[in-house]
């Protein structure tokens, strides 16, 4: 029999856990008021695992038949799988990437299947569990919890103490393995690391999930004796558990240092504590707020906070995709103050999460749960009423806007003080043009003490230029023979819009043998055999390379 009383305070707490993770991932760009450098915000995932165990034990106190277990698993898949797949689609639409790095086709196919069936966290390789929408590793770990949940609450395996001892032994076993084999703590390692063994591994994280199940049992006993107690007592307990949880998040990353534990043992224990060290205090906090009798839990029952909690799962799934989109388009927003960009990102993330929840998460859950209960047409009609379709249309419009809007924020004209100086003092009387896309508007050559020349070139973008184009800068003798050259990617053109001006710099050597540099050759190409055509007073290579008289642009 399922519980019917909704625990609004716990729903709201889900948002704060998700916010911890978002802050931890984005603080380098937007800041976090010092929270990300003071507290271990990665433990927001640990909070989710503990809360998940609590909520499942609360809603499913027993699963005694195969039909009940099947219904439970169906509900869990309906809860997480559609949003997981939608988040991967969103990743590709916004970033044109599936986050596969340099994986081979075979490896990519394997990781695709692992993500499809949510088993990627079982494989302790970063190139597997962080592919596609990387944060979904925790959803894979949750799926493992769902599969083990019927065993954790059944009486077939006797006693919660025996289960706790066995799960704790597994954690100790992986910690011991990490120590004995000196597994690196480097999260960037493509090989087996502590990230795969101690952070992502569902066998290790199962302890936190089980702590949530035990916390639910404690809650049931406390609730039976809670009536008649003064509200002030519960308010004090709530404040105390919040303080303990925050204190634990501050202390756990430092505990091994305080205890003087170093070497491989200290490294492994410290890694585990940073990621999971506060789960006992999270369990205490969850019990206190589940009672719902204190001032803080009543405040968390505010409908707005409950809504934020309801969209927290979608927020978790989409925030890194949106952050990657922001980083890719960051040059467009350079003139917008940081104190505006940070809140704007949060509004975008919350808005996207809301649409994901209303257009994908909720309707698809209803649709999957309707299977074998009604016809497909009736199931679709129930899952996607007019309001849900409206949310879907708004979501599509948002994606289109995110793909097309950023260039409108880019400042036109010069993008730097160097560009302003160059255009002001070294504008060319006749501006050579490369194809229909780029015009050279200013140029200067400065002699360095080493005898080399620093070539500074100011360009104006006439129309968007795709990534991959290369600027070839050639130092030429009087016969237009190359003395030295620099071929570099157009470093900024792909992130600018029409009308923007920017600077490219090349350093070239002095004379070669008896040849003296007298000219400068410039070409832009995607295919080396076919540079852009140019419009210039002087050019060669059949109108494919601009020629400038070096003496006309040299400066002291």
């Amino acid at each position: 029999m399922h519980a019917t009383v909704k625990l609004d305070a716990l729903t709201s707490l889900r948002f704060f856990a998700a916010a911890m993770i978002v802050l931890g991932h984005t603080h380098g760009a937007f800041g976090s008021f010092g929270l990300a450098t003071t507290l271990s915000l990665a433990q927001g995932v640990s909070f989710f695992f503990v809360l998940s165990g609590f909520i499942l034990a609360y809603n499913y106190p027993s699963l005694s038949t195969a039909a009940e277990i099947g219904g439970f698993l169906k509900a869990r898949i309906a809860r997480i799988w559609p949003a997981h797949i939608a988040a991967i689609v969103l990743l590709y639409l916004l970033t044109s990437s599936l986050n596969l790095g340099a994986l081979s086709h075979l490896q990519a196919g394997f990781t695709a299947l692992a993500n499809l069936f949510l088993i990627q966290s079982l494989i302790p390789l970063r190139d597997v569990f962080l592919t596609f929408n990387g944060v979904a590793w925790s959803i894979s770990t949750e799926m493992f919890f769902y599969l083990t949940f019927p065993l954790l609450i059944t009486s077939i395996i006797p006693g919660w103490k025996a289960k706790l001892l066995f799960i704790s032994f597994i954690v100790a076993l992986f910690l011991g393995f990490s120590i004995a084999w000196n597994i690196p703590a480097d999260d960037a390692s493509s090989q087996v690391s502590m990230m795969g063994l101690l952070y992502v591994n569902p066998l290790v994280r199962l302890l936190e999930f089980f702590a949530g199940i035990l916390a639910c049992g404690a809650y049931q006993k406390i609730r039976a004796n809670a009536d008649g107690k003064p509200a002030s007592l519960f308010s004090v307990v709530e404040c105390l558990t919040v303080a303990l949880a925050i204190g634990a998040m501050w202390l756990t990353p430092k505990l091994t240092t305080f205890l003087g534990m170093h070497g491989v043992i200290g490294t492994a224990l410290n890694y585990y504590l940073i990621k999971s060290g506060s789960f006992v205090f999270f369990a205490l906090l969850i019990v206190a707020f589940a009672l719902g009798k204190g001032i803080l839990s009543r405040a968390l029952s505010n409908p707005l906070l409950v809504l934020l909690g309801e969209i927290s799962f979608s927020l978790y799934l989409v925030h890194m995709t949106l952050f990657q989109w922001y980083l890719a388009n960051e040059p467009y927003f350079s003139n917008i103050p940081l104190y505006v960009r940070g809140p704007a990102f949060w509004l975008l993330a919350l808005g996207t999460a809301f649409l994901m929840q209303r257009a994908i998460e909720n309707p698809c859950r209803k649709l999957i749960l309707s299977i074998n209960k009604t016809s497909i047409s009736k199931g679709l009609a129930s899952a996607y009423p007019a309001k849900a379709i409206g949310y879907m249309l708004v979501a599509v419009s948002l994606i289109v806007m995110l793909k097309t809007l950023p260039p409108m924020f880019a400042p036109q004209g010069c993008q730097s003080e160097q560009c302003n100086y160059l255009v002001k003092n070294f504008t060319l009387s006749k501006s050579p043009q490369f194809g229909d896309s780029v015009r050279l508007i200013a140029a200067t050559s400065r002699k360095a003490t080493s005898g080399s020349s620093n070539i500074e070139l100011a360009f104006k973008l006439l129309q968007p230029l795709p990534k991959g184009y290369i600027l070839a800068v050639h130092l030429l003798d009087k016969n237009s023979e190359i003395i030295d050259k620099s071929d570099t990617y157009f470093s900024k053109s792909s992130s600018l819009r029409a009308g923007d001006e920017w600077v490219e710099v090349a350093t070239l050597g002095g004379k070669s043998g008896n040849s003296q540099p007298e000219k400068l050759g410039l070409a832009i190409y995607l295919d080396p055999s076919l540079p852009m055509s140019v419009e210039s007073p002087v050019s060669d290579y059949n109108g494919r390379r601009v020629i400038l008289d070096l003496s006309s642009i040299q400066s002291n």
Side-chain angles (χ1 to χ4, degrees):
M1 182 176 179
H2 294 186
T4 56
V5 178
K6 187 178 179 182
L7 304 177
D8 284 339
L10 297 189
T11 300
S12 298
L13 281 176
R14 288 170 52 193
F15 167 72
F16 291 95
M20 287 166 53
I21 299 165
V22 177
L23 280 176
H25 285 156
T26 64
H27 76 98
F30 305 119
S32 63
F33 304 102
L35 293 175
T37 54
T38 305
L39 307 176
S40 179
L41 297 184
Q43 293 183 19
V45 176
S46 181
F47 185 92
F48 272 125
F49 289 162
V50 178
L51 182 59
S52 178
F54 183 98
I55 294 297
L56 289 183
Y58 179 73
N59 286 312
Y60 298 91
S62 66
L63 293 171
S64 55
T65 67
E68 288 181 342
I69 293 174
F72 164 76
L73 293 175
K74 181 180 179 182
R76 294 299 91 205
I77 291 171
R79 172 74 175 86
I80 65 173
W81 193 80
H84 163 60
I85 298 301
I88 294 175
V89 173
L90 180 67
L91 171 70
Y92 183 76
L93 291 176
L94 290 187
T95 68
S96 300
S97 169
L98 288 174
N99 196 26
L100 292 171
L103 295 183
S104 68
H105 292 305
L106 179 62
Q107 292 169 332
F110 177 84
T111 56
L113 288 174
N115 272 268
L116 179 65
F117 292 104
L118 285 171
I119 60 171
Q120 67 266 36
S121 65
L122 292 169
I123 303 162
L125 294 175
R126 177 188 174 92
D127 287 346
V128 175
F129 61 72
L130 287 187
T131 49
F132 293 92
N133 187 25
V135 296
W137 71 262
S138 67
I139 313 303
S140 171
T141 300
E142 279 279 356
M143 181 58 76
F144 179 84
F145 297 162
Y146 299 157
L147 295 173
T148 58
F149 178 72
L151 292 175
L152 295 175
I153 63 170
T154 185
S155 58
I156 296 175
I157 301 176
W160 65 266
K161 292 181 182 178
K163 296 171 187 173
L164 179 61
L165 183 62
F166 177 70
I167 296 171
S168 299
F169 173 74
I170 292 175
V171 174
L173 189 66
F174 275 96
L175 277 167
F177 177 82
S178 299
I179 293 167
W181 267 262
N182 196 18
I183 301 298
D186 180 11
D187 283 355
S189 173
S190 61
Q191 304 302 312
V192 174
S193 68
M194 290 186 189
M195 187 178 193
L197 291 180
L198 301 181
Y199 182 52
V200 172
N201 188 353
L203 290 169
V204 172
R205 305 309 292 264
L206 188 62
L207 179 60
E208 295 147 78
F209 179 74
F210 190 60
I213 295 175
L214 296 180
C216 185
Y219 158 77
Q220 300 287 6
K221 293 179 180 179
I222 294 171
R223 184 182 63 173
N225 300 305
D227 292 339
K229 300 292 192 301
S232 58
L233 173 63
F234 294 101
S235 296
V236 170
V237 171
E238 288 174 2
C239 292
L240 180 60
T241 55
V242 169
L244 287 173
I246 294 174
M249 291 166 60
W250 173 83
L251 177 61
T252 45
K254 307 172 179 64
L255 189 58
T256 54
T257 301
F258 290 161
L259 296 177
M261 298 180 67
H262 304 291
V264 291
I265 296 177
T267 298
L269 185 59
N270 182 62
Y271 190 92
Y272 179 77
L273 290 173
I274 288 174
K275 307 299 186 182
S276 308
S278 302
F279 73 90
V280 173
F281 300 97
F282 291 155
L284 294 175
L285 184 149
I286 288 168
V287 171
F289 279 79
L291 294 169
K293 295 180 177 292
I295 187 173
L296 294 182
S297 59
R298 290 197 298 270
L300 287 175
S301 298
N302 179 280
L304 177 59
L305 291 176
V306 173
L307 173 62
L308 290 174
E310 290 173 345
I311 67 173
S312 61
F313 176 61
S314 289
L315 174 64
Y316 176 78
L317 284 179
V318 304
H319 79 276
M320 276 305 292
T321 289
L322 293 173
F323 189 51
Q324 290 179 46
W325 168 86
Y326 168 78
L327 293 178
N329 292 283
E330 190 173 15
Y332 292 126
F333 311 122
S334 59
N335 277 12
I336 300 176
L338 189 60
Y339 64 81
V340 174
R341 277 184 272 167
F345 175 81
W346 271 94
L347 288 174
L348 174 62
L350 292 172
T352 305
F354 176 81
L355 292 172
M356 171 82 86
Q357 195 238 11
R358 296 304 171 94
I360 301 294
E361 189 181 334
N362 286 349
C364 288
R365 181 166 71 244
K366 291 180 182 178
L367 182 61
I368 292 174
L369 292 177
S370 71
I371 295 175
N372 296 329
K373 294 181 179 180
T374 184
S375 65
I376 295 177
S377 59
K378 289 183 178 179
L380 281 170
S382 175
Y384 276 97
K387 183 180 290 187
I389 294 175
Y391 287 131
M392 180 71 78
L393 293 175
V394 174
V396 171
S397 299
L398 177 63
I399 293 171
V400 172
M401 182 189 74
L402 293 177
K403 290 289 289 183
T404 59
L405 188 61
M408 296 178 62
F409 288 92
Q412 286 196 309
C414 272
Q415 304 298 297
S416 65
E417 289 301 318
Q418 180 187 19
C419 175
N420 282 323
Y421 176 80
L422 198 61
V423 171
K424 181 179 179 180
N425 294 283
F426 302 103
T427 298
L428 298 173
S429 57
K430 295 183 179 180
S431 300
Q433 183 169 318
F434 299 82
D436 297 323
S437 301
V438 179
R439 179 178 295 143
L440 178 67
I441 56 175
T444 186
S445 171
R446 305 174 189 273
K447 284 285 188 180
T449 54
S450 63
S452 61
S453 297
N454 292 325
I455 310 297
E456 299 178 27
L457 306 166
F459 292 94
K460 183 172 185 175
L461 193 66
L462 303 179
Q463 64 180 23
L465 194 65
K467 291 183 180 180
Y469 274 88
I470 289 177
L471 169 67
V473 182
H474 299 163
L475 200 60
L476 309 173
D477 63 15
K478 62 180 181 180
N479 298 316
S480 297
E481 297 294 329
I482 298 176
I483 297 174
D484 195 9
K485 64 179 181 179
S486 172
D487 291 359
T488 59
Y489 283 103
F490 250 162
S491 58
K492 302 173 184 176
S493 61
S494 62
S495 62
L496 302 177
R497 62 173 179 166
D500 289 339
E501 300 166 359
W502 79 102
V503 172
E504 300 283 352
V505 179
T507 300
L508 301 173
K511 68 177 184 177
S512 176
N514 296 322
S515 300
Q516 292 286 344
E518 295 189 11
K519 303 176 185 178
L520 191 68
L522 303 171
I524 298 174
Y525 65 85
L526 193 60
D527 179 353
S529 65
L530 190 64
M532 284 185 178
S533 60
V534 298
E535 296 178 15
S536 174
V538 182
S539 64
D540 61 2
Y541 289 158
N542 296 318
R544 301 284 178 175
R545 183 172 69 171
V546 168
I547 301 295
L548 299 178
D549 186 347
L550 198 57
S551 62
S552 68
I553 63 169
Q554 284 178 337
S555 60
N556 295 324

